[in-house]
Amino acid sequence: MQDQTFRPRRSVLYVPASNEKALAKVGSLNCDAIIFDLEDAVAPAEKAAARERLKQVFGTFQKGGAEKVIRINGLTTEWGADDLAAARACRPDAILLPKVATPRDIHDADEVLDEEDADLRIWAMIETPRAMLNLGPIAELGRDRAARLSCFVVGTNDLAKETGIAVTNDRRFLAPHLAHIVMAARAGGLDVLDGPLNDFSNATVFEDQCRQAAQMGFDGKTLIHPSQIDAANKAFAPPPEALEEARAVVATFALPENAGKGVISFNGRMVERLHLSQAERLIARAATITERQS
């Protein structure tokens, strides 16, 4: 759950499992997480070879570094069972399930896993109208550690395709649905990642979308090109001015005259202990990001 086990997920890069050149570069990238994709990015005729290639690549990884996630095909497809078996053999940090529509989709994957997979988490793609209608029950699985669910990943492309919502650069029509996903994720104690921008060469729009997503409460953004990593890392990191104020709030509460107080005066406004908790969490997250970068 997000507040208990924070891991930076500011920049989460999709890498096709069939792309040898891209796979060879992942160790040098400064993203927080990598999604090795066996689903949309891999043609049907290439899926078996992509699975074997992933097993070889994962065998070369050292512990630590970017979080490693494998997106499989849905378990109801002809590739799903083989994908899940291959993903388990790779020992990633998480398995990303596409087109999750109901809690049953999470349970079906969890039932295949056993005690040897104790550290394996499940991430869920939210990308269909059914998923949107079932967000509450799906997110509630985040409160059940046995269900393994730890993160929502928004599939904005599929969501737009399935609903007919126009995707403009400012995402004015999509924004209410994105906010709904964030709210559900927080209710379930889950992290939540914004969908990608397909026009990866448009740095201005990408920065705007990152800023918008950060303000909406997203933890990070999924990316389709390494050139987007630095902008995402910056947008979803605690702003320096916010971090400076957080440290000041903590220091003010620590003053002897404020010992035991529930509310104090800070820079001309009233600040409660809930703001102290927020400040402490922000400082801790900034420290984790700094440690990750070093």
mmCIF file of all heavy atoms in Angstrom, residues 34-79:
data_model
loop_
_atom_site.group_PDB
_atom_site.id
_atom_site.type_symbol
_atom_site.label_atom_id
_atom_site.label_comp_id
_atom_site.label_asym_id
_atom_site.label_seq_id
_atom_site.Cartn_x
_atom_site.Cartn_y
_atom_site.Cartn_z
ATOM 1 N N ILE A 34 10.421 -0.289 -15.330
ATOM 2 C CA ILE A 34 10.339 -0.704 -16.729
ATOM 3 C C ILE A 34 9.247 -1.758 -16.846
ATOM 4 O O ILE A 34 9.197 -2.703 -16.061
ATOM 5 C CB ILE A 34 11.669 -1.292 -17.225
ATOM 6 C CG1 ILE A 34 12.778 -0.245 -17.144
ATOM 7 C CG2 ILE A 34 11.545 -1.814 -18.658
ATOM 8 C CD1 ILE A 34 14.172 -0.815 -17.332
ATOM 9 N N ILE A 35 8.361 -1.566 -17.820
ATOM 10 C CA ILE A 35 7.353 -2.570 -18.131
ATOM 11 C C ILE A 35 7.791 -3.295 -19.396
ATOM 12 O O ILE A 35 7.808 -2.725 -20.484
ATOM 13 C CB ILE A 35 5.967 -1.937 -18.339
ATOM 14 C CG1 ILE A 35 5.485 -1.265 -17.054
ATOM 15 C CG2 ILE A 35 4.964 -3.005 -18.796
ATOM 16 C CD1 ILE A 35 4.186 -0.484 -17.216
ATOM 17 N N PHE A 36 8.182 -4.545 -19.238
ATOM 18 C CA PHE A 36 8.555 -5.377 -20.377
ATOM 19 C C PHE A 36 7.260 -5.929 -20.966
ATOM 20 O O PHE A 36 6.545 -6.709 -20.329
ATOM 21 C CB PHE A 36 9.486 -6.500 -19.927
ATOM 22 C CG PHE A 36 10.782 -6.010 -19.329
ATOM 23 C CD1 PHE A 36 10.879 -5.717 -17.982
ATOM 24 C CD2 PHE A 36 11.902 -5.823 -20.128
ATOM 25 C CE1 PHE A 36 12.060 -5.257 -17.428
ATOM 26 C CE2 PHE A 36 13.096 -5.358 -19.589
ATOM 27 C CZ PHE A 36 13.175 -5.077 -18.232
ATOM 28 N N ASP A 37 6.969 -5.522 -22.189
ATOM 29 C CA ASP A 37 5.641 -5.745 -22.752
ATOM 30 C C ASP A 37 5.574 -6.982 -23.640
ATOM 31 O O ASP A 37 6.261 -7.066 -24.663
ATOM 32 C CB ASP A 37 5.218 -4.516 -23.559
ATOM 33 C CG ASP A 37 3.746 -4.548 -23.929
ATOM 34 O OD1 ASP A 37 3.005 -5.379 -23.363
ATOM 35 O OD2 ASP A 37 3.341 -3.740 -24.782
ATOM 36 N N LEU A 38 4.738 -7.936 -23.240
ATOM 37 C CA LEU A 38 4.450 -9.112 -24.063
ATOM 38 C C LEU A 38 3.108 -8.977 -24.767
ATOM 39 O O LEU A 38 2.743 -9.847 -25.562
ATOM 40 C CB LEU A 38 4.418 -10.374 -23.189
ATOM 41 C CG LEU A 38 5.753 -10.892 -22.668
ATOM 42 C CD1 LEU A 38 5.527 -11.958 -21.602
ATOM 43 C CD2 LEU A 38 6.607 -11.443 -23.804
ATOM 44 N N GLU A 39 2.393 -7.890 -24.485
ATOM 45 C CA GLU A 39 1.038 -7.767 -25.028
ATOM 46 C C GLU A 39 1.010 -6.982 -26.335
ATOM 47 O O GLU A 39 1.420 -7.468 -27.374
ATOM 48 C CB GLU A 39 0.103 -7.135 -23.980
ATOM 49 C CG GLU A 39 -1.368 -7.339 -24.310
ATOM 50 C CD GLU A 39 -2.258 -6.194 -23.877
ATOM 51 O OE1 GLU A 39 -1.756 -5.111 -23.513
ATOM 52 O OE2 GLU A 39 -3.483 -6.373 -23.923
ATOM 53 N N ASP A 40 0.534 -5.729 -26.289
ATOM 54 C CA ASP A 40 0.277 -4.971 -27.513
ATOM 55 C C ASP A 40 1.513 -4.775 -28.387
ATOM 56 O O ASP A 40 1.408 -4.696 -29.610
ATOM 57 C CB ASP A 40 -0.302 -3.602 -27.162
ATOM 58 C CG ASP A 40 -1.744 -3.689 -26.688
ATOM 59 O OD1 ASP A 40 -2.362 -4.758 -26.894
ATOM 60 O OD2 ASP A 40 -2.246 -2.710 -26.112
ATOM 61 N N ALA A 41 2.685 -4.663 -27.770
ATOM 62 C CA ALA A 41 3.891 -4.337 -28.531
ATOM 63 C C ALA A 41 4.506 -5.545 -29.234
ATOM 64 O O ALA A 41 5.483 -5.391 -29.975
ATOM 65 C CB ALA A 41 4.929 -3.707 -27.610
ATOM 66 N N VAL A 42 3.939 -6.731 -29.028
ATOM 67 C CA VAL A 42 4.512 -7.944 -29.609
ATOM 68 C C VAL A 42 3.490 -8.608 -30.520
ATOM 69 O O VAL A 42 2.381 -8.946 -30.081
ATOM 70 C CB VAL A 42 4.952 -8.936 -28.510
ATOM 71 C CG1 VAL A 42 5.545 -10.193 -29.135
ATOM 72 C CG2 VAL A 42 5.968 -8.273 -27.583
ATOM 73 N N ALA A 43 3.861 -8.811 -31.778
ATOM 74 C CA ALA A 43 2.973 -9.459 -32.747
ATOM 75 C C ALA A 43 2.730 -10.913 -32.349
ATOM 76 O O ALA A 43 3.595 -11.543 -31.726
ATOM 77 C CB ALA A 43 3.571 -9.391 -34.143
ATOM 78 N N PRO A 44 1.577 -11.476 -32.701
ATOM 79 C CA PRO A 44 1.271 -12.867 -32.335
ATOM 80 C C PRO A 44 2.360 -13.863 -32.716
ATOM 81 O O PRO A 44 2.701 -14.751 -31.929
ATOM 82 C CB PRO A 44 -0.029 -13.144 -33.092
ATOM 83 C CG PRO A 44 -0.702 -11.805 -33.161
ATOM 84 C CD PRO A 44 0.423 -10.828 -33.360
ATOM 85 N N ALA A 45 2.937 -13.702 -33.890
ATOM 86 C CA ALA A 45 3.943 -14.654 -34.346
ATOM 87 C C ALA A 45 5.252 -14.540 -33.563
ATOM 88 O O ALA A 45 6.083 -15.460 -33.611
ATOM 89 C CB ALA A 45 4.217 -14.444 -35.837
ATOM 90 N N GLU A 46 5.441 -13.440 -32.826
ATOM 91 C CA GLU A 46 6.691 -13.206 -32.108
ATOM 92 C C GLU A 46 6.584 -13.477 -30.609
ATOM 93 O O GLU A 46 7.576 -13.381 -29.889
ATOM 94 C CB GLU A 46 7.143 -11.752 -32.319
ATOM 95 C CG GLU A 46 7.429 -11.397 -33.770
ATOM 96 C CD GLU A 46 7.834 -9.938 -33.925
ATOM 97 O OE1 GLU A 46 7.467 -9.125 -33.050
ATOM 98 O OE2 GLU A 46 8.516 -9.630 -34.900
ATOM 99 N N LYS A 47 5.406 -13.831 -30.120
ATOM 100 C CA LYS A 47 5.202 -13.906 -28.675
ATOM 101 C C LYS A 47 6.037 -15.008 -28.026
ATOM 102 O O LYS A 47 6.619 -14.806 -26.949
ATOM 103 C CB LYS A 47 3.715 -14.078 -28.365
ATOM 104 C CG LYS A 47 2.908 -12.805 -28.673
ATOM 105 C CD LYS A 47 1.496 -12.888 -28.175
ATOM 106 C CE LYS A 47 0.693 -11.659 -28.590
ATOM 107 N NZ LYS A 47 1.144 -10.407 -27.973
ATOM 108 N N ALA A 48 6.111 -16.183 -28.632
ATOM 109 C CA ALA A 48 6.894 -17.270 -28.032
ATOM 110 C C ALA A 48 8.368 -16.890 -27.937
ATOM 111 O O ALA A 48 9.017 -17.108 -26.906
ATOM 112 C CB ALA A 48 6.718 -18.549 -28.853
ATOM 113 N N ALA A 49 8.896 -16.312 -29.003
ATOM 114 C CA ALA A 49 10.297 -15.897 -28.990
ATOM 115 C C ALA A 49 10.533 -14.780 -27.979
ATOM 116 O O ALA A 49 11.583 -14.734 -27.324
ATOM 117 C CB ALA A 49 10.713 -15.439 -30.393
ATOM 118 N N ALA A 50 9.555 -13.882 -27.838
ATOM 119 C CA ALA A 50 9.690 -12.781 -26.877
ATOM 120 C C ALA A 50 9.752 -13.307 -25.448
ATOM 121 O O ALA A 50 10.507 -12.792 -24.614
ATOM 122 C CB ALA A 50 8.530 -11.810 -27.041
ATOM 123 N N ARG A 51 8.972 -14.339 -25.152
ATOM 124 C CA ARG A 51 9.017 -14.931 -23.809
ATOM 125 C C ARG A 51 10.411 -15.480 -23.503
ATOM 126 O O ARG A 51 10.964 -15.265 -22.421
ATOM 127 C CB ARG A 51 7.999 -16.068 -23.688
ATOM 128 C CG ARG A 51 6.559 -15.645 -23.685
ATOM 129 C CD ARG A 51 5.652 -16.846 -23.429
ATOM 130 N NE ARG A 51 4.346 -16.626 -24.031
ATOM 131 C CZ ARG A 51 3.904 -17.258 -25.107
ATOM 132 N NH1 ARG A 51 4.649 -18.184 -25.687
ATOM 133 N NH2 ARG A 51 2.712 -16.981 -25.592
ATOM 134 N N GLU A 52 10.965 -16.214 -24.445
ATOM 135 C CA GLU A 52 12.293 -16.796 -24.242
ATOM 136 C C GLU A 52 13.354 -15.716 -24.113
ATOM 137 O O GLU A 52 14.287 -15.830 -23.320
ATOM 138 C CB GLU A 52 12.631 -17.747 -25.387
ATOM 139 C CG GLU A 52 11.742 -18.980 -25.444
ATOM 140 C CD GLU A 52 11.739 -19.737 -24.125
ATOM 141 O OE1 GLU A 52 12.822 -19.986 -23.573
ATOM 142 O OE2 GLU A 52 10.640 -20.070 -23.636
ATOM 143 N N ARG A 53 13.202 -14.653 -24.879
ATOM 144 C CA ARG A 53 14.166 -13.554 -24.819
ATOM 145 C C ARG A 53 14.113 -12.882 -23.445
ATOM 146 O O ARG A 53 15.153 -12.526 -22.879
ATOM 147 C CB ARG A 53 13.870 -12.535 -25.924
ATOM 148 C CG ARG A 53 14.926 -11.439 -26.045
ATOM 149 C CD ARG A 53 14.683 -10.571 -27.261
ATOM 150 N NE ARG A 53 14.856 -11.327 -28.497
ATOM 151 C CZ ARG A 53 13.874 -11.643 -29.338
ATOM 152 N NH1 ARG A 53 12.632 -11.262 -29.086
ATOM 153 N NH2 ARG A 53 14.127 -12.326 -30.441
ATOM 154 N N LEU A 54 12.903 -12.727 -22.906
ATOM 155 C CA LEU A 54 12.777 -12.127 -21.580
ATOM 156 C C LEU A 54 13.463 -12.971 -20.519
ATOM 157 O O LEU A 54 14.125 -12.449 -19.621
ATOM 158 C CB LEU A 54 11.303 -11.947 -21.207
ATOM 159 C CG LEU A 54 10.628 -10.630 -21.549
ATOM 160 C CD1 LEU A 54 9.284 -10.519 -20.839
ATOM 161 C CD2 LEU A 54 11.496 -9.435 -21.208
ATOM 162 N N LYS A 55 13.318 -14.264 -20.600
ATOM 163 C CA LYS A 55 13.973 -15.147 -19.628
ATOM 164 C C LYS A 55 15.488 -14.952 -19.671
ATOM 165 O O LYS A 55 16.152 -14.899 -18.632
ATOM 166 C CB LYS A 55 13.627 -16.608 -19.925
ATOM 167 C CG LYS A 55 12.175 -16.966 -19.658
ATOM 168 C CD LYS A 55 11.921 -18.429 -20.013
ATOM 169 C CE LYS A 55 10.454 -18.796 -19.865
ATOM 170 N NZ LYS A 55 10.190 -20.212 -20.254
ATOM 171 N N GLN A 56 16.024 -14.812 -20.864
ATOM 172 C CA GLN A 56 17.469 -14.610 -21.004
ATOM 173 C C GLN A 56 17.879 -13.255 -20.431
ATOM 174 O O GLN A 56 18.880 -13.146 -19.715
ATOM 175 C CB GLN A 56 17.866 -14.702 -22.477
ATOM 176 C CG GLN A 56 17.642 -16.081 -23.087
ATOM 177 C CD GLN A 56 17.851 -16.089 -24.597
ATOM 178 O OE1 GLN A 56 18.318 -15.103 -25.174
ATOM 179 N NE2 GLN A 56 17.499 -17.193 -25.244
ATOM 180 N N VAL A 57 17.113 -12.223 -20.745
ATOM 181 C CA VAL A 57 17.436 -10.872 -20.285
ATOM 182 C C VAL A 57 17.363 -10.792 -18.764
ATOM 183 O O VAL A 57 18.256 -10.235 -18.105
ATOM 184 C CB VAL A 57 16.491 -9.841 -20.927
ATOM 185 C CG1 VAL A 57 16.645 -8.474 -20.257
ATOM 186 C CG2 VAL A 57 16.770 -9.715 -22.418
ATOM 187 N N PHE A 58 16.321 -11.352 -18.165
ATOM 188 C CA PHE A 58 16.176 -11.290 -16.716
ATOM 189 C C PHE A 58 17.288 -12.059 -16.012
ATOM 190 O O PHE A 58 17.655 -11.732 -14.879
ATOM 191 C CB PHE A 58 14.802 -11.809 -16.296
ATOM 192 C CG PHE A 58 13.763 -10.734 -16.177
ATOM 193 C CD1 PHE A 58 13.184 -10.191 -17.313
ATOM 194 C CD2 PHE A 58 13.378 -10.240 -14.946
ATOM 195 C CE1 PHE A 58 12.226 -9.193 -17.221
ATOM 196 C CE2 PHE A 58 12.436 -9.233 -14.838
ATOM 197 C CZ PHE A 58 11.846 -8.707 -15.978
ATOM 198 N N GLY A 59 17.844 -13.038 -16.682
ATOM 199 C CA GLY A 59 18.947 -13.784 -16.100
ATOM 200 C C GLY A 59 20.217 -12.973 -15.957
ATOM 201 O O GLY A 59 21.131 -13.355 -15.209
ATOM 202 N N THR A 60 20.283 -11.825 -16.642
ATOM 203 C CA THR A 60 21.472 -10.970 -16.586
ATOM 204 C C THR A 60 21.341 -9.827 -15.583
ATOM 205 O O THR A 60 22.321 -9.140 -15.316
ATOM 206 C CB THR A 60 21.761 -10.361 -17.970
ATOM 207 O OG1 THR A 60 20.713 -9.428 -18.312
ATOM 208 C CG2 THR A 60 21.837 -11.453 -19.034
ATOM 209 N N PHE A 61 20.136 -9.612 -15.044
ATOM 210 C CA PHE A 61 19.917 -8.466 -14.171
ATOM 211 C C PHE A 61 20.512 -8.688 -12.785
ATOM 212 O O PHE A 61 20.455 -9.788 -12.237
ATOM 213 C CB PHE A 61 18.419 -8.170 -14.018
ATOM 214 C CG PHE A 61 17.772 -7.610 -15.253
ATOM 215 C CD1 PHE A 61 16.468 -7.940 -15.576
ATOM 216 C CD2 PHE A 61 18.455 -6.752 -16.081
ATOM 217 C CE1 PHE A 61 15.856 -7.418 -16.708
ATOM 218 C CE2 PHE A 61 17.864 -6.220 -17.217
ATOM 219 C CZ PHE A 61 16.560 -6.560 -17.531
ATOM 220 N N GLN A 62 21.056 -7.617 -12.229
ATOM 221 C CA GLN A 62 21.486 -7.610 -10.844
ATOM 222 C C GLN A 62 20.333 -7.105 -9.980
ATOM 223 O O GLN A 62 19.405 -6.466 -10.465
ATOM 224 C CB GLN A 62 22.709 -6.703 -10.663
ATOM 225 C CG GLN A 62 23.883 -7.065 -11.537
ATOM 226 C CD GLN A 62 24.481 -8.416 -11.179
ATOM 227 O OE1 GLN A 62 24.581 -8.761 -10.005
ATOM 228 N NE2 GLN A 62 24.861 -9.181 -12.190
ATOM 229 N N LYS A 63 20.384 -7.373 -8.692
ATOM 230 C CA LYS A 63 19.356 -6.884 -7.800
ATOM 231 C C LYS A 63 19.426 -5.365 -7.703
ATOM 232 O O LYS A 63 20.478 -4.762 -7.849
ATOM 233 C CB LYS A 63 19.509 -7.505 -6.409
ATOM 234 C CG LYS A 63 19.093 -8.975 -6.358
ATOM 235 C CD LYS A 63 19.080 -9.476 -4.919
ATOM 236 C CE LYS A 63 18.571 -10.907 -4.866
ATOM 237 N NZ LYS A 63 18.486 -11.416 -3.476
ATOM 238 N N GLY A 64 18.266 -4.770 -7.428
ATOM 239 C CA GLY A 64 18.220 -3.327 -7.303
ATOM 240 C C GLY A 64 17.953 -2.664 -8.637
ATOM 241 O O GLY A 64 17.592 -3.305 -9.625
ATOM 242 N N GLY A 65 18.144 -1.368 -8.688
ATOM 243 C CA GLY A 65 17.894 -0.631 -9.912
ATOM 244 C C GLY A 65 16.412 -0.414 -10.134
ATOM 245 O O GLY A 65 15.602 -0.450 -9.205
ATOM 246 N N ALA A 66 16.056 -0.181 -11.380
ATOM 247 C CA ALA A 66 14.664 0.096 -11.721
ATOM 248 C C ALA A 66 13.765 -1.091 -11.391
ATOM 249 O O ALA A 66 14.157 -2.249 -11.511
ATOM 250 C CB ALA A 66 14.556 0.437 -13.205
ATOM 251 N N GLU A 67 12.550 -0.779 -10.964
ATOM 252 C CA GLU A 67 11.558 -1.817 -10.718
ATOM 253 C C GLU A 67 11.230 -2.494 -12.052
ATOM 254 O O GLU A 67 11.093 -1.840 -13.084
ATOM 255 C CB GLU A 67 10.312 -1.164 -10.121
ATOM 256 C CG GLU A 67 9.342 -2.106 -9.473
ATOM 257 C CD GLU A 67 8.261 -1.365 -8.699
ATOM 258 O OE1 GLU A 67 8.214 -0.109 -8.778
ATOM 259 O OE2 GLU A 67 7.483 -2.038 -8.012
ATOM 260 N N LYS A 68 11.076 -3.792 -12.028
ATOM 261 C CA LYS A 68 10.879 -4.564 -13.263
ATOM 262 C C LYS A 68 9.515 -5.227 -13.255
ATOM 263 O O LYS A 68 9.184 -6.005 -12.359
ATOM 264 C CB LYS A 68 11.997 -5.588 -13.418
ATOM 265 C CG LYS A 68 13.377 -4.934 -13.519
ATOM 266 C CD LYS A 68 14.503 -5.935 -13.390
ATOM 267 C CE LYS A 68 15.859 -5.238 -13.428
ATOM 268 N NZ LYS A 68 16.056 -4.340 -12.251
ATOM 269 N N VAL A 69 8.735 -4.917 -14.288
ATOM 270 C CA VAL A 69 7.358 -5.380 -14.398
ATOM 271 C C VAL A 69 7.183 -6.022 -15.772
ATOM 272 O O VAL A 69 7.733 -5.536 -16.762
ATOM 273 C CB VAL A 69 6.370 -4.200 -14.233
ATOM 274 C CG1 VAL A 69 4.930 -4.677 -14.282
ATOM 275 C CG2 VAL A 69 6.642 -3.449 -12.929
ATOM 276 N N ILE A 70 6.426 -7.103 -15.836
ATOM 277 C CA ILE A 70 6.140 -7.750 -17.117
ATOM 278 C C ILE A 70 4.649 -7.661 -17.395
ATOM 279 O O ILE A 70 3.833 -8.117 -16.585
ATOM 280 C CB ILE A 70 6.583 -9.229 -17.115
ATOM 281 C CG1 ILE A 70 8.100 -9.327 -16.938
ATOM 282 C CG2 ILE A 70 6.163 -9.917 -18.417
ATOM 283 C CD1 ILE A 70 8.627 -10.754 -16.843
ATOM 284 N N ARG A 71 4.293 -7.056 -18.537
ATOM 285 C CA ARG A 71 2.888 -7.038 -18.945
ATOM 286 C C ARG A 71 2.611 -8.266 -19.798
ATOM 287 O O ARG A 71 3.227 -8.450 -20.847
ATOM 288 C CB ARG A 71 2.522 -5.768 -19.719
ATOM 289 C CG ARG A 71 1.051 -5.782 -20.150
ATOM 290 C CD ARG A 71 0.527 -4.435 -20.582
ATOM 291 N NE ARG A 71 1.001 -4.023 -21.879
ATOM 292 C CZ ARG A 71 0.478 -3.001 -22.574
ATOM 293 N NH1 ARG A 71 -0.531 -2.298 -22.078
ATOM 294 N NH2 ARG A 71 0.986 -2.656 -23.739
ATOM 295 N N ILE A 72 1.689 -9.087 -19.330
ATOM 296 C CA ILE A 72 1.325 -10.294 -20.058
ATOM 297 C C ILE A 72 0.059 -10.046 -20.878
ATOM 298 O O ILE A 72 -0.604 -9.019 -20.725
ATOM 299 C CB ILE A 72 1.104 -11.468 -19.093
ATOM 300 C CG1 ILE A 72 -0.121 -11.213 -18.186
ATOM 301 C CG2 ILE A 72 2.355 -11.717 -18.252
ATOM 302 C CD1 ILE A 72 -0.515 -12.400 -17.329
ATOM 303 N N ASN A 73 -0.281 -10.993 -21.730
ATOM 304 C CA ASN A 73 -1.578 -10.975 -22.392
ATOM 305 C C ASN A 73 -2.632 -11.453 -21.403
ATOM 306 O O ASN A 73 -2.327 -12.152 -20.434
ATOM 307 C CB ASN A 73 -1.555 -11.879 -23.619
ATOM 308 C CG ASN A 73 -0.791 -11.268 -24.780
ATOM 309 O OD1 ASN A 73 -1.335 -10.537 -25.595
ATOM 310 N ND2 ASN A 73 0.508 -11.554 -24.841
ATOM 311 N N GLY A 74 -3.864 -11.066 -21.620
ATOM 312 C CA GLY A 74 -4.940 -11.469 -20.733
ATOM 313 C C GLY A 74 -5.027 -12.979 -20.595
ATOM 314 O O GLY A 74 -4.765 -13.725 -21.545
ATOM 315 N N LEU A 75 -5.388 -13.449 -19.409
ATOM 316 C CA LEU A 75 -5.411 -14.887 -19.160
ATOM 317 C C LEU A 75 -6.470 -15.611 -19.983
ATOM 318 O O LEU A 75 -6.406 -16.831 -20.129
ATOM 319 C CB LEU A 75 -5.630 -15.149 -17.665
ATOM 320 C CG LEU A 75 -4.484 -14.713 -16.749
ATOM 321 C CD1 LEU A 75 -4.806 -15.040 -15.307
ATOM 322 C CD2 LEU A 75 -3.171 -15.375 -17.165
ATOM 323 N N THR A 76 -7.433 -14.893 -20.527
ATOM 324 C CA THR A 76 -8.440 -15.527 -21.365
ATOM 325 C C THR A 76 -8.005 -15.626 -22.823
ATOM 326 O O THR A 76 -8.722 -16.208 -23.636
ATOM 327 C CB THR A 76 -9.777 -14.757 -21.285
ATOM 328 O OG1 THR A 76 -9.575 -13.401 -21.719
ATOM 329 C CG2 THR A 76 -10.318 -14.763 -19.865
ATOM 330 N N THR A 77 -6.848 -15.079 -23.160
ATOM 331 C CA THR A 77 -6.347 -15.180 -24.520
ATOM 332 C C THR A 77 -5.522 -16.452 -24.685
ATOM 333 O O THR A 77 -5.154 -17.104 -23.705
ATOM 334 C CB THR A 77 -5.462 -13.965 -24.883
ATOM 335 O OG1 THR A 77 -4.230 -14.042 -24.131
ATOM 336 C CG2 THR A 77 -6.175 -12.649 -24.559
ATOM 337 N N GLU A 78 -5.187 -16.782 -25.915
ATOM 338 C CA GLU A 78 -4.416 -18.001 -26.171
ATOM 339 C C GLU A 78 -2.973 -17.900 -25.682
ATOM 340 O O GLU A 78 -2.285 -18.917 -25.559
ATOM 341 C CB GLU A 78 -4.418 -18.306 -27.672
ATOM 342 C CG GLU A 78 -3.787 -17.217 -28.535
ATOM 343 C CD GLU A 78 -3.899 -17.539 -30.022
ATOM 344 O OE1 GLU A 78 -3.176 -18.452 -30.472
ATOM 345 O OE2 GLU A 78 -4.711 -16.873 -30.708
ATOM 346 N N TRP A 79 -2.511 -16.688 -25.380
ATOM 347 C CA TRP A 79 -1.121 -16.505 -24.938
ATOM 348 C C TRP A 79 -0.999 -16.296 -23.424
ATOM 349 O O TRP A 79 0.095 -16.357 -22.880
ATOM 350 C CB TRP A 79 -0.503 -15.287 -25.643
ATOM 351 C CG TRP A 79 -0.708 -15.293 -27.114
ATOM 352 C CD1 TRP A 79 -0.088 -16.097 -28.039
ATOM 353 C CD2 TRP A 79 -1.611 -14.450 -27.855
ATOM 354 N NE1 TRP A 79 -0.543 -15.815 -29.297
ATOM 355 C CE2 TRP A 79 -1.488 -14.794 -29.221
ATOM 356 C CE3 TRP A 79 -2.515 -13.443 -27.505
ATOM 357 C CZ2 TRP A 79 -2.223 -14.181 -30.220
ATOM 358 C CZ3 TRP A 79 -3.248 -12.827 -28.495
ATOM 359 C CH2 TRP A 79 -3.106 -13.203 -29.839
#
